[in-house]
Amino acid sequence: MRGELTRRQILDALSETRLEYAEKLWRKADAVRREKVGDAIHLRGLIEFSNRCSRRCLYCGLAAGRGEIERYRMTSTEIINAALVGVRYGFGTVVLQGGEDHDMDPDWFADLIRAIKAMTPMAVTVSVGEWPTEAYALWRAAGADRVLLRFETSNPDLFRRIHPAAPNRTGRRIELLPRLRDMGYQIGSGVMVGLPTQTVEDLASDVEIFRELDLDMIGIGPYMPHPDTPLGVALKRAPTDVLWSPARREYVTYTMVALARLACPEANIPSTSALATANRSKGRERGLTCGANVVMPNLTPLEYRRRYEIYPDKACIGEEAETCTMCLTARIHAIGRTVGTGRGDRLRAETVVEHASGAPATAL
Ligand code: SAH
């Protein structure tokens, strides 16, 4: 299937408005997911350890210059304690996510990664935005296993408009990702769906880039307008032809998840919080039944979580880690799937068949 997915097919799928045809594609992706990565859903504990940010992305509620939000960076002890909660729940991975906080000392972060790796069996994923390759090399040497760095959109003009370049830095995320793989990281990226002026051609190119980069992880969520961001404000005044309706954003996100699975059959693909927020009753499950095989329960202490507002009314905002994990586990069982054990590394073709039949699979 991977080779068979042509640009025309991708474009047709993205333009499809008849639910029964869209559902056919989602079911096909679900079958490929079962065959290639099995029924287990991997839990990644998310720690939103800092909402400080040096960037001014037009879509994000954490952008620098938003004076009214109370900024925080958790201490190493707080972060390690949150990671240990993840170990107690049996998570195989902890994701350290934050704003792009260039006041953070890369050596401090390396020490933190080293401590978590020494104290837990978990894989560590870093999701802290664009940093010089030396910083990424330092964190890799400290034991970080994976990187999450969404390229957000493959349309360079749109990306530049919504993600103004940092002073003295030109690096585009799409170019940084292969270098991170060369350092030995498993690489994750992804996009937002339904950005103003984003077209189905843009989204088709996103899928082609997922395939070209041979991504290990692919995170896709609907764009959720934040009213206190420049993009959120502009949207209120925008002409209707550049707008996506919330329903269309959600629907096309399922199709993007399905296409990501068909283009990259062995990738780890989360059913994202943005999907769970866009459709509180069914978003999470729908994502998991059209290609996704990962969810990310939130381990951030509640006092910080409400301040990590990349978009408003985020799902699970007020739930303790335990409630969040129990709810997700129940949802996983309700759709006939199982909770994954181990680190949930990206599998490679030769190991996948064994894994699907229940025998232990060799990690990457
Ligand atoms: N600072 C890190 C982590 C950002 S938060 C980085 O820049 O990589 C993780 C992801 O949340 C982003 O990559 C983006 O895709 C998503 N996100 C941010 N604002 C959003 C919004 N308003 N709606 C939906 N997703 C959003």
Side-chain angles (χ1 to χ4, degrees):
M1 185 69 211
R2 187 167 169 184
E4 289 165 26
L5 200 61
T6 63
R7 184 168 178 94
R8 185 71 262 155
Q9 287 173 313
I10 297 172
L11 281 168
D12 286 348
L14 289 167
S15 313
E16 185 56 72
T17 50
R18 293 161 303 177
L19 184 62
E20 73 264 33
Y21 284 95
E23 281 178 343
K24 239 167 106 180
L25 178 90
W26 302 347
R27 277 197 297 273
K28 193 174 198 173
D30 193 44
V32 171
R33 185 271 310 152
R34 178 171 305 124
E35 182 199 336
K36 299 293 182 182
V37 294
D39 276 337
I41 293 173
H42 300 290
L43 305 183
R44 322 285 201 208
L46 176 67
I47 306 178
E48 297 155 331
F49 74 94
S50 167
N51 71 352
R52 299 194 196 182
C53 194
S54 328
R55 306 299 296 266
R56 292 176 183 268
C57 305
L58 272 60
Y59 48 86
C60 181
L62 306 185
R66 285 203 57 223
E68 64 274 31
I69 60 172
E70 233 182 303
R71 301 285 175 170
Y72 70 88
R73 187 190 305 128
M74 289 166 64
T75 65
S76 303
T77 309
E78 287 173 318
I79 299 169
I80 291 167
N81 284 340
L84 291 172
V85 172
V87 177
R88 228 174 31 242
Y89 297 142
F91 299 168
T93 300
V94 68
V95 180
L96 303 176
Q97 188 179 82
E100 195 173 305
D101 173 12
H102 287 289
D103 290 334
M104 177 180 86
D105 178 356
D107 287 312
W108 170 83
F109 198 48
D111 288 342
L112 172 69
I113 293 165
R114 215 171 282 116
I116 295 175
K117 293 297 290 187
M119 294 168 76
T120 81
M122 291 191 290
V124 171
T125 303
V126 299
S127 177
V128 291
E130 293 152 51
W131 284 75
T133 43
E134 297 79 46
Y136 274 112
L138 184 71
W139 303 333
R140 174 77 190 129
D145 302 274
R146 311 183 189 134
V147 171
L148 280 186
L149 186 72
R150 290 191 184 178
F151 60 79
E152 315 294 4
T153 170
S154 57
N155 177 326
D157 293 329
L158 178 58
F159 183 66
R160 240 189 322 269
R161 266 185 284 134
I162 64 169
H163 188 99
N168 312 323
R169 214 163 298 147
T170 52
R172 277 187 61 212
R173 291 180 165 209
I174 294 173
E175 280 132 36
L176 186 54
L177 287 161
R179 287 153 73 188
L180 296 172
R181 164 163 288 151
D182 290 345
M183 287 181 196
Y185 283 106
Q186 289 174 45
I187 54 169
S189 192
V191 295
M192 287 179 280
V193 175
L195 291 162
T197 76
Q198 192 179 33
T199 63
V200 288
E201 280 80 9
D202 294 335
L203 294 170
S205 302
D206 296 346
V207 174
E208 289 174 331
I209 290 174
F210 297 160
R211 180 166 51 191
E212 273 161 39
L213 292 172
D214 185 24
L215 293 176
D216 302 306
M217 294 99 76
I218 308 171
I220 301 166
Y223 163 60
M224 307 292 285
H226 188 307
D228 301 329
T229 57
L231 207 55
V233 170
L235 267 180
K236 288 197 194 119
R237 294 190 244 108
T240 47
D241 60 339
V242 301
L243 293 181
W244 290 62
S245 70
R248 182 100 194 119
R249 281 197 292 256
E250 181 195 341
Y251 179 96
V252 175
T253 299
Y254 301 131
T255 296
M256 281 292 283
V257 169
L259 290 169
R261 172 60 64 200
L262 297 174
C264 305
E266 302 140 14
N268 284 316
I269 302 180
S271 182
T272 55
S273 299
L275 254 183
T277 304
N279 182 338
R280 284 174 188 272
S281 57
K282 299 203 182 69
R284 189 78 78 182
E285 287 81 348
R286 287 221 177 121
L288 289 171
T289 50
C290 63
N293 70 321
V294 167
V295 292
M296 294 167 66
N298 202 320
L299 291 174
T300 314
L302 285 188
E303 55 186 308
Y304 297 120
R305 209 183 298 179
R306 66 183 170 74
R307 292 193 247 162
Y308 197 83
E309 195 193 55
I310 51 182
Y311 51 82
D313 301 322
K314 216 168 151 197
C316 317
I317 194 82
E319 284 176 9
E320 289 287 2
E322 187 177 1
T323 320
C324 192
T325 307
M326 277 167 37
C327 163
L328 284 171
T329 306
R331 285 171 182 245
I332 288 168
H333 290 149
I335 57 169
R337 307 269 282 277
T338 57
V339 173
T341 53
R343 297 178 10 142
D345 285 297
R346 183 250 171 99
L347 301 170
R348 294 275 171 192
E350 58 277 15
T351 62
V352 172
V353 178
E354 269 184 284
H355 173 72
S357 67
T362 320
L364 182 77

